[in-house]
Amino acid sequence: MSKLDGKIPTGPIESKWQDHRFNMKLVNPANKRKHTVIVVGTGLAGASAAASMGELGYKVKAFCVHESPRRAHSVAAQGGINAAKNYQNDGDSTYRLFYDTIKGGDFRAREANVYRLAETSVKIIDQCVAQGVPFARDYGGLLANRSFGGAQVSRTFYARGQTGQQLLLGAYQSMMRQVDLGNVELRTRREMLDLVVVDGKARGIIVRNLLTGEIESHEADAVVLATGGYSTVFYLSTNAMACAVTAAWKAHKRGAYFANPCYTQIHPTCVPVHGENQSKLTLMSESLRNDGRVWVSKTKNDRRKPEEIPESERDYFLERVYPSFGNLAPRDVASRQAKYRCDEGHSAIPDGEAVYLDFADTIKRQGEAKIAEKYGNLFQMYDKITGENPYKTPMKIYPAPHYTMGGLWVDYNLMSTIPGLFVAGEANFSDHGANRLGASALMQGLADGYFVIPYTIGDYIANTKIQPIQPTHDSFKAATETVQIEIQKLMNVKGGRTVESFHKQLGRIMWNNCGMARNEKGLTEALQQIPKLREEFWNNVRVPGEANYLNPELEKAGRVADFLELGELMCRDALDRKESCGGHFREEYQVDGEAKRDDEKYCYVAAWEWMGKDKSQSLHKEDLTFENIKLATRSYK
């Protein structure tokens, strides 16, 4: 085990990023045209990074797993984006956003990264407004704000219930402008299956053309991974089924450390599971908790309709337990409270798990039209899924896997342990600690892509001797062969079980043992079950079709193979961390149902190094120091 260096600049936190930018080396405009950067993933982080670097003059190759970047899962972040502009004049500031994010992450994030995120947030809004993103506005014409969990100020900018989609369109159009100018080369329907490392540096990628099955090699001077999170390891999650860990996992196997894999976020506001044949869960935006009140019946197994339950017999449990924050308590604590109520027998649905999210009070006060103005598309979505009109009857919601705070380890410059490999957005671990506050995902993705990566990649290129390379290099040939061997191995098994059945079984193991609550017994059992399931997968999976044609089952098989390895690491990381913090809730470590941290032993980032097949992964630690915010027990009461 070794200690990791996050390469955090010295000096006051308020000037770290500004001073660091000034001290970075620059690449002059004429020389930028001589350098190529690969960007894998074209969601918010990837599209903004590709657009910014194309605008600067770099030659950019952008790779998208979908037929269009507009399909990126960033569109699912509906509720809003945080920024410390203090338009409401309610006491917000850069420092308060910094404080709320550190506290919300249960003191398991780097102070320097989080302050930079808060500092950069105000620029993001200006950038997006200039792009034409249609943020909501108040009567006076200023941009409107609403509240999100974990904050007592209104700092969340929004575009009804489709903020992620509108922000993605802004980044997408900026990137496509660079495509039209010839600065960005966009390749769609490509999945990264390996990272090419030459002389210890990231120099390219191997991708599969998902339409033809062709394996392609692409070289560059630096690589940016912006491929999102890995909640689909649970099978049922709010993520699209195309969301995968494959690109990050392949980089991990090439030497990039994987940090805090057990830090996964459970979102409290999702449509409950309603059948065995579901492939994903639908998120109802956290923004709904601005105007909705969460409650259950005080009577166990109450089968009355919600409108038949009088006010005196309702338990508004978030308002009762957390009077200061009420229904806007952070996601991890709100999720656990919903679980407690259902475990006690107060579920809103028979033989299932759900609580009510009720808008009756706000509709009575403001009218349906005002609610429709703010959340209309979300209410319509809920109606279509459930057949219930949320204007007339409370929504039913329950927590589900959502965002992943863990990811590839990066230093302050967002560079992984492989020189030249940068990681942006949800694919890295850097900004959220053990729990992400709502409306911070969009903020981080755009901060990384627009305002961090363009500086730090320039510094890397200016400081590094990069030899010209071609895809005919032996390292590209070896990586291509590795990819082809694994594809052929999957095709040759010809077993009797579908890929889907293995994914579902893994998801159940992960949810039951490494989900909203974890304990030593369950994690130990999972670490026995997953290797057995993985062995059966490689001996009994059936992948129909052919490798060199369109083959969605082959795509899924490769992703599930990676999930089967990641799932084991998640459980090992969770077992190793003998404390509760944020979304990592070890049942053995709690006080009155709240997380009990152990700052003396576990105030560090856990970064795992791949040691090779059938070998244990090696743990490295980056100690976390808190010089600006005092370590304290997190309280929202």
Side-chain angles (χ1 to χ4, degrees):
M1 185 179 69
S2 64
K3 295 291 183 182
L4 281 170
D5 180 9
K7 298 179 180 174
I8 300 167
T10 58
I13 197 164
E14 294 84 1
S15 60
K16 278 186 192 293
W17 178 232
Q18 184 177 345
D19 293 345
H20 186 57
R21 280 185 302 170
F22 180 77
N23 291 322
M24 286 181 182
K25 286 191 175 181
L26 301 175
V27 181
N28 79 52
N31 285 340
K32 286 187 176 82
R33 294 193 292 270
K34 301 175 184 177
H35 293 283
T36 301
V37 177
I38 282 174
V39 178
V40 186
T42 50
L44 278 182
S48 58
S52 299
M53 288 188 292
E55 186 76 41
L56 288 171
Y58 293 104
K59 290 190 291 184
V60 180
K61 297 179 181 179
F63 294 83
C64 172
V65 75
H66 300 290
E67 68 275 12
S68 167
R70 290 174 294 178
R71 289 283 309 280
H73 195 65
S74 300
V75 302
Q78 305 149 324
I81 177 171
N82 287 332
K85 279 188 170 290
N86 195 30
Y87 281 170
Q88 304 293 316
N89 199 28
D90 57 359
D92 201 11
S93 64
T94 296
Y95 192 89
R96 189 175 294 278
L97 175 52
F98 162 58
Y99 175 85
D100 286 346
T101 306
I102 289 287
K103 177 184 175 183
D106 217 348
F107 298 88
R108 289 296 178 261
R110 272 195 210 128
E111 280 194 334
N113 285 68
V114 176
Y115 192 90
R116 177 175 64 188
L117 177 64
E119 179 184 2
T120 305
S121 69
V122 295
K123 298 179 182 179
I124 296 170
I125 304 303
D126 296 339
Q127 174 97 356
C128 294
V129 169
Q131 291 171 341
V133 173
F135 286 122
R137 294 181 180 267
D138 64 20
Y139 181 76
L142 288 176
L143 299 182
N145 291 121
R146 56 191 177 200
S147 300
F148 256 63
Q152 291 180 303
V153 297
S154 294
R155 63 162 67 101
T156 304
F157 295 78
Y158 64 96
R160 296 188 72 186
Q162 48 186 247
T163 315
Q165 181 178 4
Q166 296 301 327
L167 290 171
L168 182 63
L169 288 172
Y172 166 74
Q173 70 185 15
S174 297
M175 181 178 68
M176 293 309 293
R177 176 175 176 271
Q178 295 303 316
V179 171
D180 188 59
L181 291 171
N183 298 326
V184 174
E185 176 187 321
L186 176 63
R187 292 177 182 253
T188 59
R189 299 296 283 145
R190 303 298 200 282
E191 182 169 28
M192 174 182 155
L193 296 182
D194 210 348
L195 178 75
V196 180
V197 179
V198 181
D199 297 329
K201 305 180 188 71
R203 293 304 307 272
I205 61 173
I206 308 299
V207 301
R208 180 173 181 268
N209 184 322
L210 299 181
L211 296 178
T212 66
E214 181 184 359
I215 305 301
E216 303 172 355
S217 299
H218 298 273
E219 80 287 353
D221 299 319
V223 177
V224 179
L225 289 189
T227 49
Y230 50 86
S231 271
T232 318
V233 69
F234 292 100
Y235 186 74
L236 283 179
S237 77
T238 66
N239 286 193
M241 291 304 288
C243 294
V245 77
T246 291
W249 196 252
K250 301 307 186 188
H252 174 53
K253 287 186 170 184
R254 291 292 180 184
Y257 293 0
F258 208 108
N260 299 335
C262 77
Y263 286 172
T264 54
Q265 181 172 77
I266 310 300
H267 196 296
T269 319
C270 300
V271 177
V273 176
H274 61 265
E276 283 293 314
N277 296 318
Q278 270 184 273
S279 60
K280 75 176 296 293
L281 297 173
T282 303
L283 172 68
M284 287 288 106
S285 169
E286 181 170 309
S287 62
L288 293 172
R289 290 199 278 146
N290 270 278
D291 291 303
R293 301 178 71 191
V294 180
W295 64 275
V296 292
S297 172
K298 292 179 180 179
T299 304
K300 290 185 178 181
N301 302 312
D302 193 338
R303 294 298 162 250
R304 288 177 291 176
K305 294 179 180 179
E307 54 269 24
E308 296 174 352
I309 302 173
E311 193 75 13
S312 61
E313 296 180 31
R314 298 181 179 188
D315 177 14
Y316 293 93
F317 57 90
L318 290 180
E319 298 171 32
R320 171 173 56 83
V321 179
Y322 307 108
S324 292
F325 283 75
N327 296 295
L328 288 171
R331 291 175 176 180
D332 57 330
V333 296
S335 294
R336 281 196 293 276
Q337 289 298 329
K339 181 180 187 299
Y340 295 156
R341 303 291 87 76
C342 292
D343 289 349
E344 293 165 357
H346 297 277
S347 175
I349 56 178
D351 303 319
E353 296 169 312
V355 299
Y356 292 115
L357 180 61
D358 195 338
F359 295 86
D361 284 356
T362 308
I363 289 174
K364 184 178 180 181
R365 188 173 64 253
Q366 298 182 4
E368 278 192 22
K370 191 67 176 177
I371 296 299
E373 181 183 318
K374 290 191 277 188
Y375 312 113
N377 60 311
L378 298 173
F379 276 48
Q380 183 184 39
M381 187 191 310
Y382 183 87
D383 194 343
K384 283 182 175 292
I385 292 170
T386 65
E388 295 180 350
N389 181 352
Y391 293 104
K392 304 300 181 185
T393 188
M395 288 183 178
K396 298 182 185 73
I397 57 166
Y398 194 71
H402 179 51
Y403 189 91
T404 51
M405 286 75 67
L408 293 182
W409 184 90
V410 291
D411 62 18
Y412 187 71
N413 288 336
L414 302 187
M415 188 159 71
S416 72
T417 46
I418 301 174
L421 176 65
F422 295 80
V423 191
E426 191 179 359
N428 75 37
F429 88 100
S430 66
D431 289 8
H432 306 296
N435 174 65
R436 179 178 68 80
L437 293 184
S440 289
L442 302 177
M443 178 174 61
Q444 187 208 348
L446 292 179
D448 288 355
Y450 282 137
F451 298 110
V452 180
I453 286 286
Y455 285 99
T456 58
I457 278 191
D459 183 61
Y460 168 76
I461 289 173
N463 281 293
T464 307
K465 190 171 183 179
I466 302 173
Q467 299 291 345
I469 198 170
Q470 297 296 324
T472 53
H473 189 280
D474 287 346
S475 296
F476 282 87
K477 292 179 181 177
T480 299
E481 185 178 356
T482 298
V483 168
Q484 290 171 331
I485 288 172
E486 180 152 318
I487 287 174
Q488 205 52 53
K489 185 179 176 184
L490 285 167
M491 298 301 301
N492 289 342
V493 176
K494 300 188 185 303
R497 283 188 63 179
T498 64
V499 175
E500 195 88 349
S501 70
F502 282 103
H503 195 177
K504 280 186 176 182
Q505 188 173 346
L506 173 65
R508 283 193 293 270
I509 293 171
M510 294 302 298
W511 178 246
N512 291 337
N513 300 293
C514 197
M516 207 181 324
R518 301 99 186 260
N519 58 56
E520 183 175 359
K521 180 177 181 292
L523 290 166
T524 303
E525 289 176 357
L527 287 169
Q528 295 169 348
Q529 295 169 354
I530 295 172
K532 292 178 181 177
L533 182 63
R534 186 167 63 245
E535 182 179 3
E536 185 186 354
F537 175 86
W538 284 107
N539 286 283
N540 195 29
V541 71
R542 181 169 186 82
V543 181
E546 299 181 43
N548 57 341
Y549 289 99
L550 176 72
N551 192 336
E553 284 301 301
L554 176 59
E555 296 169 34
K556 287 197 290 184
R559 295 165 190 168
V560 172
D562 295 325
F563 281 140
L564 284 163
E565 293 178 343
L566 168 69
E568 184 174 353
L569 180 61
M570 289 171 64
C571 292
R572 185 179 172 196
D573 187 44
L575 184 62
D576 188 73
R577 188 171 285 276
K578 295 178 173 61
E579 66 165 352
S580 289
C581 54
H584 169 64
F585 191 74
R586 283 284 298 268
E587 293 177 329
E588 306 97 315
Y589 307 101
Q590 59 175 298
V591 177
D592 298 328
E594 304 290 354
K596 182 182 179 182
R597 295 195 324 264
D598 186 341
D599 294 330
E600 185 176 336
K601 294 180 180 178
Y602 295 99
C603 195
Y604 61 75
V605 176
W608 297 87
E609 179 185 6
W610 177 264
M611 303 302 292
K613 187 180 178 182
D614 301 325
K615 293 182 181 179
S616 295
Q617 306 216 22
S618 179
L619 174 62
H620 303 267
K621 298 178 181 179
E622 179 196 347
D623 291 332
L624 294 170
T625 57
F626 293 89
E627 301 170 348
N628 299 274
I629 297 177
K630 184 180 178 181
L631 280 165
T633 299
R634 198 168 55 139
S635 174
Y636 293 95
K637 295 186 177 180

